[in-house]
Amino acid sequence: MKIGLIGTGLMGQALSHHLLAENQPLVVFNRSLEKCDELKARGAAVATSAQALVEQSDICLLFLSDAKAISSVLDDIDDAAFKNCLLIQMGTIAPEESRNLAQRVRATGGRYLECPVLGSLPEAGSGKLILMAAGKKTDYKAALPLLELIGHEPQYIGDIGQGATVKLAMNQLIAGLTASFALSLALVEKEGIATEQFMKIVRDSALYAPTFDKKLSRMIERDFSEPNFPTKHLAKDTRLFLSVANELGLDTSALKGIELLLQKALDMGLDNTDYSALMAAVSPKES
C-alpha cells in the first residue's frame, strides 16, 4: 500500500511515527510544511501539496481538525486525482458533514470511508487506537490491513455517518465523565478530605472509570500542560454533539452546562491545554 497522511498535528504526528516504525511507506502533507520536518527525518516523504499526496497514494488518511479544514484541503485537489485513491476521514465531524464529504468525493469517482478514532497520543503511537469505520463494505475491506496496523480489532459500524455518530457519543462521555469527576474532586478538596481516601472509595465502587486516575494528578496539581487531547477540541466536539442531538430532539440540558464550563476554560486561556483543565473551570486552585 502507498499510504498518504494529511494533517500532521498531534495525532497525525503520533500515527505517522507508528506507521514508519512498522516500515510502511508514508507520504505526508501539512499546510505548515515545517510540521513535516521531523517525519521527513524519520523516513517519510513530504508532498508539496495535497494533490501531489493524493496522486501518489492508494489510501489517504485525513487527520484534520474539522469539516471546514477538510473541505479547504479538498478544494485544492483536482477531481481527477481522487479516482485511484481511497480517502479515510479520521477526525471528529458531524454525521451530516461526513455524508456531504462522501458525496463530494464519490461524485469525482473517488472512494470515501469514515473512520474516526478514540484514543490519544500513546494509543496513536502504538497502534492501539479504537477505530469506528463506516462506509461501503468493499472500501472497509480494502482498508482493513492498514486499519489493523492503526488499531486493535477495528469496528465496522455501518453506513457513512454512523461511525461519526458513535464517535460523538464517545466524546460526549469524555466531557461528561471529566466534568463530573472534576466537580466531585473539587468538593472533596474544599472540605479538606484526603484525596487518596476519596479515590479508594471511588475505585472500590461501580462508579469508577479508569479515566479518573489518568486525570487525577493533573487535576490535583492544576498541571494541564503537554496535552494528549486539547481542551479546544473537546469544546468543539461538545458543540458538535449538541447541534446533532438538538436536531434529533434529545434533551441536552446536562451537556449544555458542561459546554459552558468548557467555554469558561477557553476564556481562561486554557484552549491548548489538556482537557482536564475542566478542573480549573470548576475550581481554580487557591494561591
Side-chain angles (χ1 to χ4, degrees), residues 226-243:
E226 299 182 7
N228 288 335
F229 184 38
T231 306
K232 64 182 180 183
H233 291 333
L234 183 58
K236 181 266 292 184
D237 295 346
T238 299
R239 289 191 291 268
L240 270 180
F241 184 99
L242 285 169
S243 176

Side-chain angles (χ1 to χ4, degrees), residues 147-199:
L147 297 181
E148 288 177 334
L149 283 177
I150 296 172
H152 177 63
E153 295 184 354
Q155 296 293 306
Y156 177 72
I157 306 299
D159 296 332
I160 293 292
Q162 293 184 323
T165 297
V166 174
K167 179 57 164 63
L168 283 182
M170 297 304 295
N171 279 24
Q172 192 275 149
L173 282 174
I174 293 174
L177 286 170
T178 306
S180 292
F181 180 59
L183 187 58
S184 291
L185 186 61
L187 178 66
V188 168
E189 280 187 345
K190 290 290 187 182
E191 285 292 337
I193 298 166
T195 300
E196 191 51 39
Q197 185 176 35
F198 168 67
M199 288 305 301

Side-chain angles (χ1 to χ4, degrees), residues 242-256:
L242 285 169
S243 176
V244 173
N246 287 332
E247 289 178 3
L248 295 174
L250 302 180
D251 189 330
T252 58
S253 301
L255 188 60
K256 287 176 183 175

Side-chain angles (χ1 to χ4, degrees), residues 51 54-55 74 77-85 105 107-110:
Q51 175 159 329
V54 170
E55 287 176 338
L74 297 188
I77 303 173
D78 292 337
D79 288 353
F82 293 114
K83 291 183 179 179
N84 297 315
C85 185
V105 171
T108 69

Side-chain angles (χ1 to χ4, degrees), residues 6 12 24 27 89 92 144 180 190 240 243 246 248 286:
I6 297 177
Q24 297 298 311
V27 183
Q89 196 297 112
T92 304
L144 190 55
S180 292
K190 290 290 187 182
L240 270 180
S243 176
N246 287 332
L248 295 174
E286 298 176 0

Side-chain angles (χ1 to χ4, degrees), residues 6-27:
I6 297 177
T8 57
L10 289 174
M11 289 290 285
Q13 282 269 353
L15 179 58
S16 295
H17 289 167
H18 170 65
L19 292 174
L20 291 169
E22 292 289 327
N23 298 314
Q24 297 298 311
L26 181 66
V27 183

Side-chain angles (χ1 to χ4, degrees), residues 187-235:
L187 178 66
V188 168
E189 280 187 345
K190 290 290 187 182
E191 285 292 337
I193 298 166
T195 300
E196 191 51 39
Q197 185 176 35
F198 168 67
M199 288 305 301
K200 184 181 188 309
I201 295 169
V202 173
R203 294 183 191 110
D204 288 344
S205 76
L207 304 174
Y208 177 70
T211 188
F212 297 161
D213 270 313
K214 288 183 179 180
K215 299 302 178 184
L216 179 62
S217 63
R218 283 185 176 274
M219 290 184 175
I220 292 173
E221 298 165 13
R222 306 304 198 276
D223 181 4
F224 314 117
S225 60
E226 299 182 7
N228 288 335
F229 184 38
T231 306
K232 64 182 180 183
H233 291 333
L234 183 58

